[in-house]
């Protein structure tokens, strides 16, 4: 897991939708309208926070672990979240 | 005996899945009342409990993660606290996931509510290795923290003690405010001083809270400022400048920074008061999920589970349903016997044929529906429903909806009415409206009665199950296609973003499941008691009036003649045959009376339009009945074919149908019944849930047109092929 962590924390930001299942990433920013960004922040998606990708099957939604909860994220939403 | 000193109001708040409903049930028991929040269709539950001389009124707020103006639920929770000023707000926290759950609590603190925190599921938290220093946590947050295990009813009186103490402010806790760092605090102070000048607003809200909300770009508070403040231009201008300033400082919108700081405050408080051995609350769930939400076997498992649910529902429901049918028949007979046998009393006919016939036929579905709701309550309470939504998301996404819409559609197999009510869980209006509009296409339990009567009349045994499946699948496909069509036409727009929590799996409690099932069943019964009663009476009138004196006399003469024959014919052999002839006459009389009635005339009037579908006036008349409740179609067909009581003589009705119509027409009738004219209860509930007649009429018209076109196509193509 720690190798995975190193691997994904390097490099420029990428959309969460591209993160591999099992990887841990950090949120950089949310590229969305104010309402949606706010909503995501309320759900625990705040910059710098760790996101654990539980599953990511294309096509279809992702499952991530954020602040102790598993959340299902629509793919469209995951494309708007930039992570490192 | 204690005397009640005072009534106090407690508002119960909490995240979805925090066990809030269970706490509410534990606190209030059966003393509950379900209503709606004024003006919206969000359910409002209230209950009472007496505690140490107080009468405690408990109001269940909607489950939310936050208190923004983002969804109706959040607005309602906020309004209730601001406007109705409950004496205490009790926030239910899932003790196994404090960081996320405290986010809502912090917002109640900011709102200035007197807050009590319930550490719910504290037994589970202990098992998972969380140790919470409650004393420390309550000092850090400035409000009492009480452990509870709502599933076992533990900690309820401690919770009420704390609430009363908090109301009387007899505790010794510091007052705590979340600080947002000097850059933001500076802006908050600037805006607060401007807001203090606005008396109307400041009398009801704390200026600090208003300032934070304005920085968070809260649409509702902005609107309030605009409406209520003399210096609104000055305030909003200051907000704009502050926002710009903070955006340049932080490189992010202020609301994001504020959310971040709140989470920072919480994580600081948790670091000091919670010790964890690091065991995940998903340990068990992970193993279950690796099977149930597996990419390859997840979907087949889900379909298999649904099959079991239906099997369970119909196997257990069928005998009870028969029993209820018999009971209503008995009731009908008892009431009939209050009149002399040959009485033509309109009141008798109204009670027996209209009220008991109409409402009884709907209520006899209650067992099936209860079992379906029971199964669904178990799936919901265990946490599986969220997984089902996840599994279905891929498919639902293709038609512009998302996985959550699937749950109401699932309920629709039982009855469309609770299914439409269940769309309340969808956050976005476009999703919700689309789901409401297409839900009637899913074949409900009432339509199953039509299929069950028609299929054996036209199809050989080997084909029957297949035809039934084909009908169900046509319905599902049509629902998905229509959703797609609606999403690219009337409700255009990108598919809405979708975030949903997957709660850890939990063992459902008997009490919780029972209450959920009961609530949904009550809605169904209420519908039968009100709308269906009214429409049954109207339809009864349509099928009974106008009466024809000549027809009646003619039949009476003929019957009297046969009767005389019976009397003069002493031998017993002819008696049965003559009795048979009498019954036959009675049925023919009913059929002719129906043809003469308003419903019969409407049927005849519609016949030219129905011809191309292969329908005659009799089918048209029966479809009028189907508007009250789909299964009335069967009863009406029984009457037009003068079979008499259709319920007990399905076989002879099938015989008649077989003689009169082709297999193609039979299929077309089922197709039309599936799609066309949602029943009156569906129309009413759509009107209520969608908020206007416009959508109910659109749904009604759209479905009827769709039914007409599709049935026309099937019938005409079928004719060409044969």
């Amino acid at each position: 897991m720690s190798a995975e962590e190193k691997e994904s924390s390097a490099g420029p930001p990428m959309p969460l939708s591209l993160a591999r299942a099992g990887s841990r990433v950090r949120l950089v920013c949310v590229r969305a309208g104010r309402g949606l960004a706010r909503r995501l922040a309320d759900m625990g998606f705040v910059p710098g926070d760790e996101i654990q990708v539980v599953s990511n099957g294309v096509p279809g939604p992702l499952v991530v672990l954020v602040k102790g909860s598993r959340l299902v994220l629509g793919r469209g939403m995951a494309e708007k979240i930039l992570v490192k | 005996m204690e005397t009640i000193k005072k009534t106090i109001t407690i508002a119960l708040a909490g995240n979805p899945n925090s066990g809030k409903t269970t706490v509410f049930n534990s606190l209030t028991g059966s003393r509950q009342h379900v209503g709606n929040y004024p003006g919206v269709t969000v359910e409002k539950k209230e209950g009472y409990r007496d505690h140490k001389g107080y009468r405690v009124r408990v109001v269940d707020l909607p489950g939310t993660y936050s208190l923004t103006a983002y969804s109706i639920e959040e607005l309602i929770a906020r309004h209730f606290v601001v406007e109705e000023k409950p004496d205490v707000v009790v926030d239910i926290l899932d003790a196994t996931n404090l960081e996320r759950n405290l986010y809502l609590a912090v917002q109640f603190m900011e709102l200035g509510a007197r807050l009590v925190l319930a550490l719910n599921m504290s037994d589970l938290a202990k098992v998972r290795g969380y140790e919470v220093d409650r004393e420390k946590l309550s000092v850090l947050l400035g409000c009492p923290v009480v452990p509870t295990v709502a599933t076992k009813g533990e900690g309820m009186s401690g919770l009420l003690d704390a609430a009363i103490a908090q109301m009387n402010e007899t505790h010794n806790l510091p007052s705590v405010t979340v600080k947002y760092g000097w850059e933001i605090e500076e802006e908050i102070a600037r805006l607060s001083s401007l807001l203090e000048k606005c008396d109307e607003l400041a009398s009801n809200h704390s200026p600090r809270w208003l300032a934070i909300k304005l920085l968070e770009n809260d649409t509702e508070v902005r609107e309030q400022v605009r409406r209520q403040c003399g210096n609104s231009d000055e305030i909003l201008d200051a907000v704009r400048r502050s926002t710009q300033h903070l955006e340049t400082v932080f490189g992010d919108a202020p609301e994001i920074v504020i959310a971040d700081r709140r989470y920072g405050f919480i994580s600081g408080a948790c670091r000091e008061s919670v010790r964890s051995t690091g065991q995940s609350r998903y340990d068990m769930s992970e193993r279950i999920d690796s099977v149930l939400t597996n990419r390859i076997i997840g979907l087949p498992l889900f379909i298999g589970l649904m099959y079991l649910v239906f099997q369970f529902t119909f196997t257990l429901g069928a005998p009870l349903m028969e029993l209820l049918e018999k009971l209503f028949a008995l009731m009908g007979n008892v009431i009939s016997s209050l009149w002399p046998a040959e009485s033509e009393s309109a009141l008798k006919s109204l009670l027996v044929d209209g009220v008991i016939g109409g409402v009884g036929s709907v209520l006899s579905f209650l067992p099936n529906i209860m079992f379906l709701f029971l199964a669904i309550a178990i799936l919901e309470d265990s946490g599986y429903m969220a997984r089902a939504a996840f599994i279905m998301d891929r498919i639902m996404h293709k038609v512009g909806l998302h996985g959550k819409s699937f749950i109401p559609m699932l309920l629709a197999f039982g009855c469309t009415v609770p299914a439409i009510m269940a769309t309340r869980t969808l956050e976005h209006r476009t999703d919700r409206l689309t789901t409401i509009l297409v839900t009637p296409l899913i074949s409900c339990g009432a339509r199953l009665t039509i299929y069950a009567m028609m299929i054996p009349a036209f199809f050989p045994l080997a084909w029957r199950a297949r035809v039934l499946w084909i009908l169900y699948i046509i319905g599902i496909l049509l629902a998905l296609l229509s959703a797609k069509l609606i999403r690219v036409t009337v409700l255009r727009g990108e598919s809405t973003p979708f975030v949903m929590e997957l709660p850890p799996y939990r063992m459902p409690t008997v009490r919780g499941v029972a209450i959920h099932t009961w609530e949904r069943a009550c809605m169904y019964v209420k519908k039968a008691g009100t709308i269906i009663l009214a429409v049954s009476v109207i339809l009864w009138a349509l099928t009974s009036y106008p009466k024809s004196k000549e027809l009646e006399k003619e039949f009476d003469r003929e019957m009297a003649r046969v009767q005389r024959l019976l009397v003069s014919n002493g031998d017993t052999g002819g008696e049965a045959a003559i009795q048979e002839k009498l019954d036959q006459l009675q049925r023919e009389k009913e059929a002719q009376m129906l043809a003469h009635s308003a419903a019969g005339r409407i049927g005849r009037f519609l016949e030219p339009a129905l011809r191309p579908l292969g329908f005659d006036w009799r089918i048209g008349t029966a479809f009028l009945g189907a508007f009250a409740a789909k299964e009335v179609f069967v009863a009406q067909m029984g009457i037009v074919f003068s079979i008499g009581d259709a319920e007990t003589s399905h076989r002879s009705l099938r015989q008649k149908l077989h003689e009169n119509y082709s297999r193609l027409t039979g299929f077309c009738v089922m197709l039309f019944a599936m799609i066309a004219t949602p029943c009156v209860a569906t129309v009413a509930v759509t009107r209520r849930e969608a908020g206007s007649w416009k959508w109910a009429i659109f749904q009604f018209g759209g479905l009827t047109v769709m039914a007409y076109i599709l049935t026309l196509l099937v019938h005409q193509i079928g004719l060409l092929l044969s």
Side-chain angles (χ1 to χ4, degrees):
Chain A
M1 197 54 93
S2 65
E4 194 89 59
E5 205 175 325
K6 253 179 220 154
E7 187 196 328
S8 54
S9 62
M14 61 167 181
L16 179 60
S17 53
L18 296 180
R20 259 187 294 153
S23 64
R24 289 156 191 261
V25 293
R26 277 190 191 280
L27 193 143
V28 177
C29 66
V30 176
R31 281 219 191 125
R34 281 184 88 172
L36 182 53
R38 169 76 208 275
R39 177 73 177 159
L40 283 169
D42 280 341
M43 299 289 286
F45 290 89
V46 286
D49 237 49
E50 189 186 77
I51 301 173
Q52 195 182 325
V53 183
V54 177
S55 83
N56 181 1
V58 187
L62 290 81
V63 179
V64 295
L65 186 71
V66 176
K67 295 215 185 287
S69 283
R70 286 196 173 191
L71 300 175
V72 179
L73 264 186
R75 184 150 292 278
M77 199 101 140
E79 279 161 6
K80 293 181 177 130
I81 300 174
L82 292 186
V83 295
K84 257 203 311 212
Chain B
M1 269 292 283
E2 274 181 300
T3 47
I4 301 297
K5 284 193 295 208
K6 200 180 160 208
T7 299
I8 64 169
T9 300
I10 290 180
L12 275 193
N15 285 12
N17 307 313
S18 61
K20 187 170 63 69
T21 313
T22 323
V23 172
F24 178 75
N25 291 336
S26 276
L27 279 176
T28 59
S30 55
R31 294 165 71 189
Q32 305 186 356
H33 169 77
V34 183
N36 277 339
Y37 284 97
V40 286
T41 51
V42 176
E43 229 165 64
K44 179 186 188 181
K45 282 201 275 184
E46 276 186 44
Y48 286 89
R49 175 174 178 141
D50 296 334
H51 185 77
K52 304 213 169 137
Y54 288 93
R55 166 143 295 174
V56 185
R57 170 180 171 236
V58 187
V59 178
D60 194 20
L61 298 180
T64 61
Y65 295 102
S66 182
L67 289 180
T68 54
Y70 181 81
S71 70
I72 324 173
E73 279 79 9
E74 294 186 15
L75 268 179
I76 284 169
R78 195 162 106 180
H79 283 172
F80 189 83
V81 174
V82 171
E83 272 145 35
E84 301 205 24
K85 298 201 177 10
D87 297 293
V88 183
V89 173
V90 173
D91 186 2
I92 315 298
L93 309 171
D94 175 349
T96 65
N97 191 13
L98 274 183
E99 276 204 55
R100 172 177 302 282
N101 279 252
L102 281 171
Y103 190 76
L104 180 67
V106 166
Q107 295 189 59
F108 278 115
M109 283 163 56
E110 270 171 1
L111 203 49
R114 277 188 294 250
L115 191 65
V116 172
L117 301 178
L119 283 185
N120 196 27
M121 304 188 230
S122 43
D123 54 340
L124 264 176
K126 207 168 277 170
V127 172
R128 297 244 165 81
Y130 292 91
E131 263 179 65
V132 183
D133 184 341
R134 287 199 314 276
E135 300 270 314
K136 204 170 221 170
L137 190 62
S138 58
V139 170
L140 288 167
L141 299 175
C143 54
V145 179
V146 185
T148 60
V149 183
T151 46
K152 295 180 191 146
E154 287 169 19
M156 292 304 126
S157 89
L159 191 60
L160 291 173
D161 286 344
I164 290 165
Q166 178 70 318
M167 181 187 69
N168 297 328
E169 296 182 345
T170 52
H171 60 75
N172 280 321
L173 291 169
S175 114
V176 175
T177 13
V178 184
K179 295 287 183 196
Y180 291 99
W182 66 269
E183 294 98 336
I184 296 178
E185 286 299 330
E186 222 168 56
E187 306 305 321
I188 292 175
R190 196 197 321 276
L191 295 175
S192 299
S193 64
L194 284 174
L195 285 157
E196 269 161 23
K197 290 185 210 150
C198 174
D199 293 332
E200 198 183 337
L201 209 54
S203 66
N204 227 350
H205 306 75
S206 100
R208 182 182 166 83
W209 181 77
L210 290 171
I212 295 171
K213 285 290 139 188
L214 286 172
L215 287 176
E216 286 185 299
N217 195 28
D218 190 282
T219 45
E220 207 214 19
V221 173
R222 284 180 72 91
E223 193 48 45
Q224 273 176 313
V225 166
R226 202 168 288 143
R227 264 200 328 264
Q228 298 179 4
C229 295
N231 55 346
S232 69
D233 289 344
E234 192 189 350
I235 295 173
L236 293 177
D237 198 48
V239 171
R240 197 177 45 77
R241 270 183 288 127
S242 298
T243 306
Q244 257 170 11
H245 170 66
L246 292 175
E247 264 173 13
T248 40
V249 171
F250 294 106
D252 227 331
E255 62 267 28
I256 306 297
V257 184
I258 290 174
D260 187 34
R261 294 280 152 90
R262 271 189 204 129
Y263 272 120
F265 169 81
I266 292 164
S267 106
C270 287
R271 231 187 341 261
E272 285 193 44
S273 58
V274 183
R275 272 205 322 196
S276 147
T277 50
Q279 202 188 355
S280 160
R281 65 204 268 264
Y282 282 102
D283 277 355
M284 185 62 167
S285 300
E286 195 145 5
R287 259 169 277 154
I288 303 174
D289 264 344
S290 64
V291 180
L292 288 185
T293 63
N294 181 288
R295 277 181 71 73
I296 298 151
I297 59 171
L299 190 61
L301 276 177
F302 167 68
I303 293 170
L305 203 57
M306 288 308 107
Y307 178 77
L308 282 180
V309 165
F310 283 106
Q311 208 54 22
F312 164 80
T313 301
F314 289 107
T315 316
L316 289 181
L320 286 173
M321 188 168 152
E322 267 171 46
L323 198 73
L324 271 182
E325 273 171 4
K326 278 191 193 128
L327 200 73
F328 282 115
L330 189 73
M331 254 170 79
N333 287 339
V334 168
I335 293 180
S336 295
S337 67
L338 297 178
W339 279 269
E342 61 280 2
S343 158
E344 294 287 332
S345 155
L347 182 64
K348 166 185 156 190
S349 169
L350 170 69
L351 286 177
V352 176
D353 304 329
V355 176
I356 294 178
V359 177
S361 64
V362 175
L363 281 186
S364 56
F365 278 96
L366 193 60
N368 275 343
I369 287 187
M370 288 268 272
F371 283 117
L372 183 67
F373 288 164
L374 177 71
I376 283 168
I378 293 172
L379 292 180
E380 268 178 346
D381 288 7
S382 66
Y384 182 75
M385 263 319 184
R387 272 78 182 177
F390 167 70
I391 292 166
M392 287 306 292
D393 188 69
R394 232 181 308 165
I395 297 167
M396 300 300 277
H397 201 81
K398 292 210 169 74
V399 300
L401 292 172
H402 53 63
K404 262 179 161 176
S405 292
F406 188 73
I407 296 166
M409 287 188 176
L410 197 65
L411 282 168
F413 285 109
C415 175
T416 316
V417 172
I420 287 177
M421 293 176 126
T423 60
R424 288 172 184 178
T425 56
L426 302 173
E427 285 165 8
H428 293 272
R429 188 158 165 80
T430 41
D431 287 341
R432 197 167 164 218
L433 272 177
T434 312
T435 312
I436 290 176
L437 290 173
V438 304
T439 294
L441 284 163
I442 307 284
S443 291
C444 61
R447 272 167 278 185
L448 183 64
T449 11
I450 303 183
Y451 307 152
M453 191 265 293
M454 301 287 290
I455 291 176
F458 296 102
F459 294 92
L461 190 62
W463 269 86
R464 286 175 194 168
R466 245 171 282 171
V467 174
L468 187 64
W469 269 110
I470 289 171
L471 284 165
Y472 268 90
I473 286 168
I474 291 175
I476 296 167
L477 289 179
L478 281 177
L480 294 179
L481 281 174
S482 317
K484 180 79 193 165
L485 197 67
I486 290 168
R487 290 294 271 116
V488 297
T489 55
V490 276
L491 292 170
R492 219 183 342 232
E494 269 186 55
S495 73
T496 50
F498 167 41
V499 203
M500 182 184 65
E501 192 179 347
L502 287 184
Y505 286 104
R506 285 182 194 127
M507 188 51 97
T509 62
V510 174
R511 189 193 168 95
V513 167
I515 290 178
H516 279 160
T517 311
W518 182 243
E519 277 171 0
R520 291 221 173 99
C522 281
M523 289 194 307
Y524 183 77
V525 172
K526 243 185 242 167
K527 152 197 146 183
T530 51
I531 305 163
I532 294 193
L533 177 63
V535 175
S536 301
V537 169
I538 293 171
L539 277 167
W540 165 81
L542 280 179
T543 47
S544 316
Y545 294 95
K547 294 199 179 295
S548 160
K549 282 271 174 282
E550 291 98 78
L551 258 177
E552 236 165 296
K553 269 192 199 126
E554 201 177 303
F555 271 99
D556 287 347
R557 263 201 304 280
E558 181 65 12
M559 278 160 94
R561 195 179 62 78
V562 176
Q563 199 106 44
R564 272 198 304 282
L565 220 63
L566 182 67
V567 176
S568 64
N569 226 356
D571 65 318
T572 45
E575 195 175 327
I578 289 166
Q579 191 58 49
E580 175 66 24
K581 174 97 175 119
L582 266 177
D583 289 346
Q584 182 59 35
L585 273 170
Q586 180 62 34
R587 284 186 231 122
E588 261 171 43
K589 177 180 166 190
E590 279 169 16
Q592 295 225 6
M593 299 290 280
L594 180 64
H596 186 80
S597 73
R601 285 170 204 211
I602 296 172
R604 276 184 204 284
F605 174 76
L606 289 176
E607 198 175 50
L610 296 177
R611 255 290 141 228
L613 311 184
F615 300 171
D616 58 11
W617 72 271
R618 290 177 289 206
I619 295 176
T621 308
F623 270 126
L624 271 186
F627 177 57
K630 291 275 183 181
E631 67 276 14
V632 174
F633 180 83
V634 175
Q636 290 283 74
M637 285 304 266
I639 299 172
V640 275
F641 277 109
S642 48
I643 307 295
D645 183 6
E647 301 291 332
T648 55
S649 45
H650 266 182
R651 197 174 302 148
S652 48
L653 177 55
R654 285 192 188 122
Q655 187 63 36
K656 287 272 185 191
L657 287 172
H658 189 71
E659 284 162 14
N660 280 278
Y661 303 112
S662 68
R663 182 179 291 173
L664 180 62
T665 305
F667 185 79
C668 285
V669 166
M670 290 189 283
L671 188 67
F672 194 84
M674 174 171 78
I675 309 168
T677 51
C679 71
V680 64
T682 302
V683 174
V685 78
T686 299
R687 143 86 187 88
R688 216 181 68 200
E689 299 294 312
S692 82
W693 277 112
K694 189 179 80 182
W695 291 109
I697 292 166
F698 175 70
Q699 181 190 52
F700 187 88
L703 288 173
T704 307
V705 169
M706 188 202 290
Y708 190 87
I709 293 173
L710 282 181
T711 313
L712 183 71
L713 281 176
V714 169
H715 191 249
Q716 295 302 326
I717 292 171
L719 282 182
L720 282 179
L721 292 180
S722 58

